[in-house]
Amino acid sequence: GDSVTQMEGPVTLSEEAFLTINCTYTATGYPSLFWYVQYPGEGLQLLLKATKADDKGSNKGFEATYRKETTSFHLEKGSVQVSDSAVYFCALSDQTGANNLFFGTGTRLTVIP
Amino acid sequence: DAGVTQSPTHLIKTRGQQVTLRCSPKSGHDTVSWYQQALGQGPQFIFQYYEEEERQRGNFPDRFSGHQFPNYSSELNVNALLLGDSALYLCASSSLGVQRGQETQYFGPGTRLLVL
């Protein structure tokens, strides 16, 4: 079945450091891929998405490219800020029609000043 | 534009009791999905409602049931609560009218359920 494997955390970085959070997936067909972010005490917010191979999603300085050949969707940011501290979830949308989401286990990022 | 809203925000129940959680979708959305997020885990899909019917269901027992109303709002019911049902329950809304693959699910803040 469909699944997402996400880099385990937690990840601690200094402000302005480069961020990579790895995500690989297993799916039949051609899923859409997402990164969601969850700030403390809040629900999930969509960060970015990509719907087909080689698409690049980007938002708020974060980027991820849909790589079909490596079944990956790694999240990157060139210079993190303290306000980026949160839990990041990689997810895929199945293609059965309901388009429910399969999530990874999440990666907690802490950025220190 | 109001986003997805859920009520209540927190709830404490005891084993064996029943609970009802509520969700109002984002304006313009007609589809509601429910997810369970255990502590330290990613959300897991429970089921999805569209046109007042359950369209798809994840790997959850029949103790979990739902309903969608004509105004697209939805309820999640859990019977015979177990300790393991303690989790954050998230509601997400979307629009099936959007081209497939382009739709995005928008999440509410969740209801945190504690079963003692």
Side-chain angles (χ1 to χ4, degrees):
Chain A
D2 294 353
S3 67
V4 173
T5 301
Q6 196 174 331
M7 168 182 171
E8 291 191 15
V11 174
T12 301
L13 295 173
S14 298
E15 207 166 20
E16 300 183 2
F18 183 84
L19 169 70
T20 299
I21 301 178
N22 291 337
C23 171
T24 57
Y25 68 90
T26 301
T28 53
Y30 303 95
S32 296
L33 300 175
F34 304 83
W35 278 99
Y36 280 86
V37 58
Q38 188 172 37
Y39 296 101
E42 298 184 13
L44 298 173
Q45 298 178 25
L46 177 67
L47 182 59
L48 53 83
K49 69 176 185 180
T51 58
K52 61 182 187 297
D54 299 326
D55 267 4
K56 177 185 282 188
S58 61
N59 185 28
K60 299 181 181 179
F62 291 89
E63 293 183 339
T65 301
Y66 188 164
R67 301 287 189 200
K68 184 172 179 294
E69 62 276 13
T70 55
T71 62
S72 65
F73 193 56
H74 305 322
L75 181 68
E76 296 182 337
K77 186 175 186 183
S79 176
V80 294
Q81 305 301 313
V82 172
S83 57
D84 294 327
S85 298
V87 181
Y88 292 81
F89 292 93
C90 183
L92 69 81
S93 174
D94 77 357
Q95 299 293 287
T96 63
N99 293 302
N100 52 283
L101 294 168
F102 292 85
F103 286 87
T105 54
T107 301
R108 180 175 299 278
L109 170 66
T110 301
V111 180
I112 55 178
Chain B
D1 176 24
V4 180
T5 60
Q6 292 186 243
S7 63
T9 55
H10 296 81
L11 206 51
I12 300 175
K13 292 286 188 179
T14 57
R15 281 179 297 175
Q17 285 189 311
Q18 179 264 344
V19 68
T20 297
L21 311 180
R22 297 176 176 83
C23 171
S24 291
K26 183 177 169 64
S27 177
H29 286 180
D30 55 13
T31 303
V32 173
S33 302
W34 286 93
Y35 293 81
Q36 180 195 64
Q37 186 180 13
L39 196 62
Q41 301 296 314
Q44 291 192 30
F45 175 72
I46 303 174
F47 43 54
Q48 184 183 81
Y49 276 84
Y50 172 68
E51 291 188 338
E52 302 180 47
E53 291 191 359
E54 184 181 294
R55 295 187 72 243
Q56 192 173 31
R57 188 180 185 92
N59 189 25
F60 279 79
D62 292 345
R63 299 187 297 109
F64 290 77
S65 63
H67 187 78
Q68 186 179 34
F69 300 93
N71 66 353
Y72 308 120
S73 66
S74 176
E75 288 181 349
L76 164 65
N77 300 292
V78 187
N79 294 322
L81 284 167
L82 304 174
L83 296 180
D85 294 332
S86 295
L88 180 68
Y89 288 85
L90 295 165
C91 169
S93 74
S94 58
S95 175
L96 276 188
V98 177
Q99 179 182 353
R100 185 206 272 213
Q102 305 297 320
E103 68 284 337
T104 296
Q105 293 194 24
Y106 291 85
F107 284 80
T111 294
R112 190 165 296 282
L113 172 65
L114 177 61
V115 182
L116 301 177

